[in-house]
Amino acid sequence: MIAAQTVPTPAGPLTLLAHGGALVGAGFTGDVEEIFTRLSPALRQEGLEVVDDLGAATLAVRAYLDGDLTALDAVPVSQPGTPTRKRLHAALREVKPGTTVSYAELAVRAGLPRTAARAAGSACAQNLIAPFVPCHRVVPSTGGYGGYLYGVAVKEWLLAHESGH
């Protein structure tokens, strides 16, 4: 069974989905189904149950919102992907709060050439567990915020929160 909880945040509702002791989905929406439908068909077959408290993941979100910017790092996550995508997602989790990297920099951090910036962008776009896998910390090298599945305003809020503004 996939357990789901929606937690209120200043950036909007954050829905968390957990299975087998790890987060398998998270995103800034109050629509649990929106996150659930992004999971693999095999995982969706497990079913979905909305719960009042996911425990450690919920506590981590609250600690993050209260200023412990590394609290999300301790929460186990699990998402599908090729070995390259998994390396990119792991590299994302190493980007420190309050900092940003370009897509090319993310590629290099994952052991890929700078020219793999497009693969880094794809890994961000396919990230199922925002902000625990912090794709919001990746910005275009040309400036600006770039895109974000949950809206640029959410990305701006997350980056401002992490930089203390």
Side-chain angles (χ1 to χ4, degrees), residues 26-51:
F28 287 92
T29 176
D31 183 352
V32 173
E33 287 292 326
E34 182 180 337
I35 304 298
F36 185 71
T37 58
R38 295 187 74 207
L39 301 180
S40 70
L43 216 46
R44 287 194 312 266
Q45 285 182 346
E46 295 285 328
L48 179 66
E49 176 185 11
V50 176
V51 299

Side-chain angles (χ1 to χ4, degrees), residues 10 17 24 29 40 47 62 67-68 72 92 107 123 135 145 149:
L17 275 60
V24 294
T29 176
S40 70
R62 291 187 178 127
D68 179 358
L72 303 181
L92 271 170
C135 55
Y145 289 103
L149 179 62

Side-chain angles (χ1 to χ4, degrees), residues 7 58 83 95 124 144:
V7 180
T58 305
V95 178
C124 289

Side-chain angles (χ1 to χ4, degrees), residues 83 123 158:
L158 290 165

Side-chain angles (χ1 to χ4, degrees), residues 3-27:
Q5 179 187 6
T6 301
V7 180
T9 80
L14 175 61
T15 294
L16 313 173
L17 275 60
H19 181 262
L23 282 184
V24 294

Side-chain angles (χ1 to χ4, degrees), residues 12-110:
L14 175 61
T15 294
L16 313 173
L17 275 60
H19 181 262
L23 282 184
V24 294
F28 287 92
T29 176
D31 183 352
V32 173
E33 287 292 326
E34 182 180 337
I35 304 298
F36 185 71
T37 58
R38 295 187 74 207
L39 301 180
S40 70
L43 216 46
R44 287 194 312 266
Q45 285 182 346
E46 295 285 328
L48 179 66
E49 176 185 11
V50 176
V51 299
D52 291 332
D53 189 357
L54 282 177
T58 305
L59 290 173
V61 170
R62 291 187 178 127
Y64 172 82
L65 294 172
D66 287 342
D68 179 358
L69 301 178
T70 62
L72 303 181
D73 299 344
V75 177
V77 298
S78 176
Q79 62 183 316
T82 64
T84 297
R85 179 153 299 158
K86 287 180 181 284
R87 286 190 355 232
L88 286 159
H89 285 160
L92 271 170
R93 290 201 93 188
E94 297 299 319
V95 178
K96 299 294 180 216
T99 66
T100 59
V101 297
S102 70
Y103 293 98
E105 289 173 275
L106 179 62
V108 169
R109 287 176 178 223

